[in-house]
Amino acid sequence: RFIGDRLAPDLQAAEEAKGAVQRAIDTWEGLVANVCGVQERGQGELRTMVDLGAQVYCQAEVPDTSHIFVNVGLGFHAELTLDEALAFAEKKLVGLRGDLRERVEEAASIQSHVKLVTEGIRELMLLSPESNR
């Protein structure tokens, strides 16, 4: 009962938190890749598809790619040069990777607790009443 009521929900929450951090890392790595691509190609303007929400996209033209708006957190967006955006993204990735390591360790710890409790229950069930005398 302890496993199902306490450890299983904790493990599921830890796995979900780990997945959320991994998705954030993927998003920031995508930004780095896109910015590097724009810099390497020397694109002054860009045509792209923009997600408006709920999987609705529209075509957009960016006349000047020297600056981009980056979500810096708490609902704020900052206009940054491409180099500033790369520097910000790298700092953000360092923090997120540390957070991911913590989430992986947390999930592993909970899994080890599940295994420990399961093995303890199995050992208790194998003890016969005669061996307690």
Side-chain angles (χ1 to χ4, degrees):
R1 183 175 168 114
F2 175 70
I3 293 173
D5 290 345
R6 175 67 185 182
L7 294 179
D10 287 350
L11 181 59
Q12 182 178 3
E15 291 291 338
E16 288 172 2
K18 183 175 77 169
V21 172
Q22 184 60 56
R23 285 188 298 278
I25 288 172
D26 293 343
T27 299
W28 284 100
E29 286 176 343
L31 174 66
V32 169
N34 287 334
V35 169
C36 287
V38 167
Q39 283 181 325
E40 288 171 7
R41 291 186 297 272
Q43 286 179 297
E45 57 186 46
L46 177 67
R47 288 179 63 113
T48 187
M49 297 295 286
V50 177
D51 185 2
L52 299 176
Q55 300 296 319
V56 176
Y57 291 86
C58 74
Q59 197 170 46
E61 290 185 26
V62 181
D64 179 17
T65 61
S66 64
H67 289 82
I68 60 173
F69 285 91
V70 177
N71 182 348
V72 293
L74 299 174
F76 291 99
H77 292 76
E79 184 177 1
L80 304 174
T81 65
L82 296 181
D83 290 331
E84 291 170 339
L86 282 176
F88 181 81
E90 290 301 329
K91 287 180 184 177
K92 189 77 171 177
L93 282 167
V94 167
L96 286 170
R97 288 181 181 127
D99 195 22
L100 181 63
R101 275 192 298 279
E102 290 175 14
R103 300 292 164 250
V104 167
E105 290 171 6
E106 180 183 6
S109 173
I110 294 170
Q111 286 174 333
S112 70
H113 284 100
V114 169
K115 185 175 182 180
L116 181 68
V117 170
T118 303
E119 289 175 3
I121 291 171
R122 186 177 307 121
E123 286 180 16
L124 287 172
M125 291 177 72
L126 292 176
L127 291 175
S128 65
E130 297 157 358
S131 63
N132 289 334
R133 294 182 187 175

